[in-house]
Amino acid sequence: MATFREIAGGGVTAPEGFLAGAASCGIKNPDSDKLDLMILSSAHPTVTAATFTSNRVQAAPVRVTREHLATEDDVRAVIVSSGNANACTGAQGMADAREMAALAAERLNLRPSQVAVCSTGVIGKPLPMERIRPKIDEAATLGDDPLRPTLAIMTSDTVPKYSAVELPIGDRMVRIGAMTKGAGMICPNMATMLCFVTTDAAVDPDCLQALTKRAVDRSFNRITIDGDMSTNDTVLVMANGQAGNAVITVGTPEAEALGEALRHVLLGLAKAMIRDAEKATRFIELEVRGARTEPEAHTVAKAVANSVLVKCMWNGGQPYWGRVMHAIGYSGVDIVEERIAIDFNDVPAARGGISAGTPVEVMREETDQAEHRLVIDLGLGEAGSIVYTSDISEKFVEFNLLD
Amino acid sequence: MATFREIAGGGVTAPEGFLAGAASCGIKNPDSDKLDLMILSSAHPTVTAATFTSNRVQAAPVRVTREHLATEDDVRAVIVSSGNANACTGAQGMADAREMAALAAERLNLRPSQVAVCSTGVIGKPLPMERIRPKIDEAATLGDDPLRPTLAIMTSDTVPKYSAVELPIGDRMVRIGAMTKGAGMICPNMATMLCFVTTDAAVDPDCLQALTKRAVDRSFNRITIDGDMSTNDTVLVMANGQAGNAVITVGTPEAEALGEALRHVLLGLAKAMIRDAEKATRFIELEVRGARTEPEAHTVAKAVANSVLVKCMWNGGQPYWGRVMHAIGYSGVDIVEERIAIDFNDVPAARGGISAGTPVEVMREETDQAEHRLVIDLGLGEAGSIVYTSDISEKFVEFNLLD
């Protein structure tokens, strides 16, 4: 097993050959000077893998990026706007997304198909292209600062989320950098978020896609905040080979090492997203074990994590395991009530589907904390799943009254 | 089509031969004098049909009632306790539920199997039988008041919900009475609630079961408040033939007439439950039309109605149709984005999956009301579904911090 180590303060520009820039266009609010346009680019040929939302309503930038990835071998850049999702915007939206790619491509000396496009924000309003066009030059002025680009992709986030690691591959040191945005509107198949990952490892396209899918599945697909899936979710992973290692292919120890590091990076960012959930006050690690299959474990975990009444319980720091039982019961998975065990951290709450007899105050010592673990054992098999989630609070509702 | 008319102030005791009683045991709080024990009984042989929760965690009273209905032809009474669901209570819970049936049976001169048992309230705590036993006599002192029995089955309800109608069947007048409880924890398959329906019509058992299932499907299964399904949901429909009509069988005009009246009664109570939703401030009639099949229409409707972000939007009285689009998109139904139309009452919000161009203030005049209709046309077929729902407010969260 390869060892990776964190690069303190590193982000998407940590790997060799990746630079990024940002600008403030006033996309959501013309009078704001919030950074809201970002360009990330590789100076060298790049292999890009991606995962997208499974929402059947797909934003224009998602459609355009899919097209580019389907026809172009060397996607090297991405242009991102925040404050407006450019979703449900019809033909105008498609034209605007293509124009964003073309404007960035022109400035970077690339083909438009080499540029991916992402947007995040309000649904249903056309992009204010007249405010974006004048700022392309500034966003395309690339440097190695990882922070400003991260600020430019944020919407409801309260903290910028980025990280980087390095690890040995063969006789080379390879770096992986990443930044993400997303806090509200998360779950079940993919968090509403954008995540951009860069690496200077040389990786085969099929291998990169497989590693990406697996890492996303075990990180972003494991977080849930309020049960809603976005129209714009995108994860892009770009590998430009500048570390000079031998090209990594599927099924090798090197692929395994890179995949583990990638998963570590994405999981860390996913957990950061949970902690930054819109007005959430608690972080919960929800583990379901003893299921017949992993999909069944995951289905139960999601049902419990998304239950509004369970979230209210978490908000109040209460140990109402009965609400957990009832959410397990409507998950759709064929469970056996009398085999269910529930624990808060290591304190038993239920055994055999009924009270374990632990006094409420003892259980509450575990649940009335900023973080705790809820462990559900279904007693039916050997499979399991872990989901990270948060509570729901009055402020969440208040925050979401306005778009 | 037969005509039915409301019986003002009528409830479960309106039909001939049904009486009910109530008592205060202090089940949830020993110091409270809230009515929390109810017995409803028919003085004559009775045919009883029922529907139950699909939650795989089933409360002891649900299990006991299912047993009785499976083996007994003449279930004539029901004993109900509120404040404690007697769910996730194991063998003790089963013994307690059986004892409740036995105590009522003894007092009413019936076999225990002739008594159905229901409970509602907190999950996971054993019933305080020591407080219930001394009050059985009082609850079994039957009269024709419909209000006190309704108060006795309520938990988080703020208003008692009961009604009655009468209609001609053949040359007789037949009555249907009903009472219900339930406001929070509603959806998707059956509202968390209890509903007791009485009729003096003579009905064949198969026919009564078919009419019950159909009426519940088109009423209680159409309401959703906060996305959670209960462990205790029960609808009981009891027919004692005292009106003297010829026994009603499946597929006849009389069955049609009775079914229509039954559905009307249940739908009225279901709507009352929505209006009484825990701290909700808005009532929404959500219609999905133009679906390929009714189940698909219903799936889309539920996804939108249960979306936390959509509910927040309703709470704020806002016309953010984009959030509706995105909830439609993650419903799991294969939709075509470009065919979707959305209206608020009769005001267009989206056409062809994009903005209809209606100014926000004009749309807001419709959405910032106590009630409005959200109409979604999928443009894929001829099937439709209607769901009644409410918003989510900060007070909902606050209310649900404690069990």
Side-chain angles (χ1 to χ4, degrees):
Chain A
M1 191 159 46
T3 14
F4 47 80
R5 66 166 201 91
E6 305 275 349
I7 300 171
V12 288
T13 51
E16 188 69 35
F18 286 96
L19 296 174
S24 169
C25 308
I27 289 172
K28 183 169 188 182
N29 175 1
D31 302 320
S32 167
D33 56 10
K34 177 194 176 296
L35 292 169
D36 56 12
L37 184 67
M38 191 282 291
I39 292 176
L40 165 65
S41 186
S42 161
H44 309 274
T46 302
V47 172
T48 298
T51 65
F52 299 96
T53 181
S54 60
N55 193 312
R56 284 172 169 75
V57 172
Q58 301 233 317
V62 170
R63 300 182 191 212
V64 169
T65 300
R66 280 185 186 274
E67 280 179 19
H68 290 185
L69 286 168
T71 57
E72 173 65 62
D73 284 336
D74 181 12
V75 170
R76 292 195 195 183
V78 57
I79 179 169
V80 184
S81 64
S82 62
N84 183 313
N86 194 14
C88 303
T89 43
Q92 183 61 51
M94 288 297 285
D96 292 342
R98 294 193 202 292
E99 186 185 352
M100 281 178 66
L103 290 170
E106 189 184 5
R107 194 60 184 68
L108 300 169
N109 243 328
L110 299 172
R111 296 181 290 282
S113 59
Q114 289 182 284
V115 181
V117 188
C118 295
S119 297
T120 175
V122 174
I123 299 172
K125 296 170 62 169
L127 282 176
M129 293 303 288
E130 70 285 359
R131 298 202 284 275
I132 293 175
R133 289 181 195 107
K135 298 291 191 162
I136 295 284
D137 271 6
E138 192 180 328
T141 305
L142 310 178
D144 59 16
D145 169 32
L147 174 58
R148 288 178 79 253
T150 306
L151 296 174
I153 67 173
M154 287 165 52
T155 52
S156 58
D157 313 68
T158 61
V159 295
K161 298 177 264 294
Y162 59 90
S163 68
V165 298
E166 67 177 8
L167 69 154
I169 294 283
D171 62 348
R172 306 291 172 135
M173 285 303 283
V174 150
R175 292 182 159 192
I176 302 173
M179 63 173 163
T180 190
K181 65 82 52 181
M185 281 170 67
I186 288 183
C187 187
N189 255 341
M190 239 182 91
T192 286
M193 48 75 174
L194 301 178
C195 181
F196 305 102
V197 183
T198 55
T199 180
D200 46 28
V203 191
D204 165 82
D206 288 344
C207 181
L208 192 65
Q209 188 66 43
L211 293 183
T212 296
K213 186 177 186 318
R214 196 167 174 213
V216 167
D217 213 50
R218 294 182 177 197
S219 58
F220 296 123
N221 285 4
R222 299 289 165 182
I223 70 177
T224 156
I225 290 180
D226 63 61
D228 289 335
M229 257 203 304
S230 142
T231 48
N232 288 59
D233 297 348
T234 304
V235 176
L236 281 182
V237 179
M238 306 169 72
N240 70 4
Q242 291 303 296
N245 58 297
V247 173
I248 300 175
T249 56
V250 168
T252 58
E254 291 76 16
E256 193 65 37
L258 191 70
E260 194 192 329
L262 179 61
R263 187 200 165 208
H264 171 87
V265 167
L266 296 191
L267 187 59
L269 292 177
K271 287 184 172 182
M273 288 168 68
I274 291 284
R275 289 193 168 86
D276 191 25
E278 290 169 21
K279 313 301 176 188
T281 62
R282 316 261 186 186
F283 178 91
I284 286 92
E285 179 183 303
L286 204 172
E287 178 182 355
V288 173
R289 43 168 94 130
R292 290 181 197 90
T293 67
E294 198 195 336
E296 287 202 342
H298 196 60
T299 297
V300 170
K302 290 282 186 182
V304 174
N306 285 333
S307 162
V308 174
L309 280 173
V310 172
K311 284 190 182 299
C312 287
M313 168 185 97
W314 284 329
N315 183 245
Q318 301 287 7
Y320 299 145
W321 59 269
R323 292 188 186 186
V324 177
M325 283 294 295
H326 116 116
I328 294 170
Y330 71 67
S331 67
V333 172
D334 193 15
I335 52 94
V336 178
E337 191 180 331
E338 293 77 12
R339 294 199 194 177
I340 296 174
I342 296 171
D343 290 67
F344 297 119
N345 292 334
D346 298 309
V347 172
R351 287 290 182 273
I354 66 175
S355 173
T358 307
V360 167
E361 319 79 58
V362 173
M363 293 191 290
R364 198 176 282 130
E365 268 174 55
E366 309 302 320
T367 57
D368 197 12
Q369 303 198 44
E371 299 186 20
H372 75 272
R373 257 180 315 116
L374 167 58
V375 184
I376 297 166
D377 193 325
L378 299 177
L380 301 170
E382 300 299 320
S385 175
I386 296 179
V387 164
Y388 305 103
T389 188
S390 68
D391 64 322
I392 191 173
S393 72
E394 299 142 47
K395 292 189 174 17
F396 173 90
V397 176
E398 190 191 308
F399 182 80
N400 279 298
L401 292 183
L402 301 174
D403 243 0
Chain B
M1 188 161 50
T3 15
F4 48 80
R5 66 165 201 94
E6 306 275 349
I7 301 170
V12 289
T13 51
E16 189 69 36
F18 286 96
L19 296 173
S24 169
C25 307
I27 290 174
K28 183 170 187 179
N29 175 0
D31 303 320
S32 166
D33 57 9
K34 177 193 177 296
L35 293 168
D36 57 11
L37 184 67
M38 191 283 292
I39 292 177
L40 166 65
S41 187
S42 162
H44 309 274
T46 303
V47 172
T48 298
T51 64
F52 298 98
T53 183
S54 60
N55 193 312
R56 283 172 169 78
V57 171
Q58 301 232 319
V62 169
R63 300 181 192 214
V64 169
T65 299
R66 279 185 188 273
E67 280 180 17
H68 291 185
L69 286 168
T71 56
E72 174 62 61
D73 283 339
D74 181 12
V75 171
R76 290 194 196 185
V78 58
I79 177 169
V80 185
S81 62
S82 61
N84 183 313
N86 193 13
C88 302
T89 42
Q92 182 62 51
M94 288 296 285
D96 292 343
R98 293 192 204 291
E99 185 184 352
M100 280 178 68
L103 289 169
E106 188 183 7
R107 193 61 183 66
L108 301 168
N109 243 327
L110 300 172
R111 294 182 292 279
S113 59
Q114 289 181 286
V115 182
V117 187
C118 296
S119 296
T120 175
V122 175
I123 300 172
K125 295 169 65 170
L127 281 176
M129 294 303 290
E130 71 285 359
R131 299 202 282 277
I132 293 174
R133 290 182 196 110
K135 297 291 191 166
I136 295 283
D137 271 6
E138 192 179 330
T141 304
L142 310 179
D144 60 13
D145 170 30
L147 174 58
R148 288 177 78 257
T150 306
L151 295 174
I153 67 171
M154 286 165 53
T155 53
S156 58
D157 315 67
T158 61
V159 296
K161 298 178 264 294
Y162 60 90
S163 67
V165 299
E166 67 178 10
L167 69 154
I169 295 283
D171 62 348
R172 305 291 171 133
M173 284 306 280
V174 150
R175 293 182 158 192
I176 300 173
M179 63 173 163
T180 190
K181 65 83 51 183
M185 281 171 66
I186 288 183
C187 188
N189 256 343
M190 239 183 91
T192 287
M193 47 77 176
L194 301 179
C195 181
F196 305 101
V197 185
T198 55
T199 180
D200 45 27
V203 191
D204 165 82
D206 289 345
C207 180
L208 191 66
Q209 187 66 40
L211 293 182
T212 297
K213 185 177 186 320
R214 195 166 175 213
V216 167
D217 212 50
R218 294 181 177 194
S219 59
F220 297 124
N221 285 4
R222 297 290 163 182
I223 73 177
T224 156
I225 291 180
D226 63 59
D228 287 334
M229 254 204 306
S230 142
T231 49
N232 287 58
D233 297 348
T234 304
V235 176
L236 280 183
V237 179
M238 307 169 71
N240 70 4
Q242 290 302 297
N245 58 297
V247 173
I248 299 175
T249 56
V250 168
T252 59
E254 291 77 17
E256 192 66 37
L258 191 72
E260 193 191 330
L262 179 60
R263 186 200 165 207
H264 171 85
V265 166
L266 296 191
L267 187 59
L269 292 177
K271 287 183 172 182
M273 288 167 69
I274 291 285
R275 289 189 168 88
D276 191 25
E278 289 169 20
K279 312 301 172 187
T281 63
R282 317 261 187 186
F283 177 91
I284 286 90
E285 177 183 305
L286 203 171
E287 178 182 356
V288 175
R289 41 168 96 133
R292 291 183 195 89
T293 67
E294 198 196 336
E296 286 201 340
H298 197 60
T299 297
V300 169
K302 289 283 189 181
V304 175
N306 286 332
S307 162
V308 174
L309 280 173
V310 171
K311 284 187 182 299
C312 287
M313 167 184 99
W314 284 328
N315 184 243
Q318 300 288 6
Y320 300 145
W321 59 269
R323 293 190 186 185
V324 177
M325 283 294 296
H326 116 116
I328 294 169
Y330 71 65
S331 67
V333 171
D334 194 15
I335 52 92
V336 178
E337 189 179 335
E338 294 76 13
R339 294 198 193 180
I340 296 173
I342 295 172
D343 290 64
F344 298 120
N345 293 334
D346 298 310
V347 173
R351 287 290 181 272
I354 64 175
S355 172
T358 307
V360 167
E361 321 80 57
V362 173
M363 292 192 290
R364 199 177 281 128
E365 269 175 52
E366 309 301 323
T367 57
D368 197 12
Q369 301 197 46
E371 299 187 21
H372 77 272
R373 261 181 311 117
L374 168 58
V375 184
I376 297 167
D377 193 324
L378 299 178
L380 300 171
E382 301 298 322
S385 176
I386 296 178
V387 163
Y388 305 103
T389 187
S390 68
D391 63 322
I392 190 174
S393 73
E394 300 142 45
K395 288 186 177 18
F396 173 90
V397 176
E398 188 189 309
F399 181 81
N400 279 297
L401 292 182
L402 300 174
D403 244 357

